[in-house]
Amino acid sequence: MLLLTGNYFLLLLVKLGVSGDNVEIEKHCEMGRKLLESGQLAGALSHYHSAVGSISSCNEMVHIKIQYLYLTYYERAAVFLAMGKSKSALSDLTRAIRLKPDDLIARLQMGNIFLKMGNTQKARENFQAVLQRSPDQDEARHQLMRANELEELQEKAHATHHRRDYRTTINVLDWVLVLSPWDPESLELRAECYIHLGNTRKAIQDLTPTAWLRNDNRAAFLKLSTLHYSLGENKKSIAHVRECLKLNQDDKKCLSHFKQVKKLIKQLDSAEEHIKEESYQMAISNYESVMKTEPNVPYYTNKAKERICFCLVKRDPRNINILRDRAEAFILNRDYGEARTLLIATLLRKHVLTLTVIQYVVVSPDEW
């Protein structure tokens, strides 16, 4: 932990001869420490911001103000790290090192952060700087070895990805991300592999943090929006594309996708409202529009066909062909419970199964 103890801080201030007018600074720092220890990070950060502001306006001599700032930046970096704001922590540690260049602990912490971010070059530079001043620093030596190991794994991951060996790439990136969990490039690469293998959920899981690990990451927000859209999760889709537009309201790709999702949501909601009102013909018309609006994503085509069949059944409950087609739509959407119910209803009226259904039962008996 970066944090210095409150007693040490107070002792230092006494030695420096800090005037009573500046006790406010120590109060802010002390409250910052207490709030950090209790997990109240926003409050802790607020007190450290106030401390920095008070230092800038105090009337102490320059060397005392430097000592104040060094300690405050040093401790505020710990709060930023606890909040997961690694870039802000790096910024404060950089300021602390400028004020006290011989601070090896701050350099070691910087190296550790760069390592977790996947920046092996910057990590090595900091670990080597520590070892130049303190050759017996065991942690720096150990972390330097990990930085070299990480670089080798990163190179292997890119090589296997280039060969389109996505499963091996994922296995290698699993180890990479143990060493560098804040590395957006590795997370994006693993997400791409999951997409190639058809595992959309895993891809979303990896891409979600990258939206915040990079500045102005509109590409990640748009990708997340399209992935949720492909799964039929329109509320999540539109939430992510809105984040993209917050960064740039004129982004053409984000704006185009936003309009597409919004139009589709309106058609789907309208169709379901008509079904509630038992206006089945109007609902059918809406779902036909859904298929025209989005003909390329199977989820919406299958959803529309299933709901159209539902409306037709409501209008003609004894139509066996409609029951069968609706059951097949449920199967395509992997809703096996509903499909089973409809097939039983079909069998009660006609003792036959379609070839598609027979094949599915044979291939996936565990689902029934």
Side-chain angles (χ1 to χ4, degrees), residues 89-363:
L90 278 176
S91 180
D92 270 3
L93 286 171
T94 300
R95 293 187 181 107
I97 289 170
R98 284 175 184 163
L99 294 169
K100 190 177 178 184
D102 60 345
D103 185 355
L104 300 186
I105 301 300
R107 279 211 173 272
L108 184 59
Q109 289 292 344
M110 281 189 69
N112 288 334
I113 294 172
F114 279 123
L115 185 67
K116 289 183 177 181
M117 294 173 69
N119 190 331
T120 55
Q121 180 180 346
K122 290 285 187 181
R124 268 200 303 266
E125 288 174 3
N126 281 279
F127 296 140
Q128 287 169 348
V130 172
L131 290 170
Q132 283 176 0
R133 289 179 175 268
S134 179
D136 297 328
Q137 227 290 349
D138 291 336
E139 185 180 351
R141 186 181 296 104
H142 175 70
Q143 292 299 82
L144 182 59
M145 291 172 62
R146 295 186 80 184
N148 293 331
E149 178 189 354
L150 175 59
E151 189 168 67
E152 291 177 6
L153 288 169
Q154 289 172 334
E155 291 173 357
K156 183 178 180 181
H158 284 283
T160 54
H161 179 263
H162 183 72
R163 296 197 300 268
R164 299 183 181 180
D165 185 354
Y166 301 120
R167 293 190 186 280
T168 300
T169 304
I170 288 171
N171 290 335
V172 175
L173 288 171
D174 287 344
W175 287 104
V176 167
L177 289 163
V178 169
L179 297 173
S180 57
W182 304 336
D183 178 9
E185 183 178 344
S186 294
L187 286 165
E188 288 164 355
L189 189 62
R190 191 168 68 175
E192 185 182 331
C193 292
Y194 281 130
I195 290 170
H196 281 293
L197 295 174
N199 195 333
T200 306
R201 291 286 178 201
K202 286 283 191 179
I204 289 172
Q205 187 177 336
D206 274 354
L207 277 177
T208 299
T210 70
W212 311 102
L213 287 170
R214 292 189 190 278
N215 293 328
D216 191 10
N217 200 351
R218 282 173 280 161
F221 283 120
L222 180 58
K223 189 66 176 177
L224 283 166
S225 180
T226 57
L227 289 174
H228 281 295
Y229 178 76
S230 72
L231 295 173
E233 297 171 348
N234 294 312
K235 289 184 179 179
K236 290 181 179 179
S237 176
I238 206 160
H240 283 296
V241 78
R242 277 178 175 148
E243 290 295 332
C244 176
L245 291 171
K246 285 179 184 177
L247 295 169
N248 184 348
Q249 62 182 359
D250 297 321
D251 187 295
K252 291 182 179 179
K253 290 182 179 179
C254 289
L255 191 59
S256 174
H257 185 63
F258 174 77
K259 290 178 179 178
Q260 171 76 359
V261 181
K262 196 171 181 181
K263 180 179 180 181
L264 198 67
I265 288 174
K266 185 177 180 181
Q267 290 173 338
L268 290 167
D269 289 347
S270 178
E272 288 303 308
E273 195 60 37
H274 284 308
I275 289 175
K276 288 180 183 178
E277 296 169 356
E278 299 185 358
S279 301
Y280 298 117
Q281 188 54 51
M282 291 295 293
I284 289 169
S285 177
N286 279 131
Y287 274 115
E288 287 174 344
S289 296
V290 166
M291 289 191 285
K292 291 177 182 177
T293 299
E294 184 49 86
N296 301 316
V297 178
Y299 174 87
Y300 298 104
T301 303
N302 296 333
K303 171 78 172 178
K305 288 179 178 178
E306 182 274 314
R307 297 306 278 164
I308 288 171
C309 285
F310 172 84
C311 294
L312 292 171
V313 169
K314 285 292 185 180
R315 290 171 54 183
D316 184 7
R318 299 187 63 80
N319 190 314
I320 293 172
N321 292 329
I322 293 172
L323 288 172
R324 177 203 63 200
D325 291 344
R326 189 165 173 239
E328 291 185 6
F330 274 121
I331 289 171
L332 290 171
N333 271 340
R334 299 181 180 275
D335 194 341
Y336 305 115
E338 289 291 339
R340 184 190 303 112
T341 301
L342 287 169
L343 287 172
I344 291 170
T346 305
L347 284 168
L348 290 173
R349 293 171 189 171
K350 188 174 182 180
H351 300 293
V352 294
L353 286 172
T354 65
L355 179 60
T356 303
V357 173
I358 292 170
Q359 288 175 332
Y360 205 90
V361 172
V362 172
V363 172

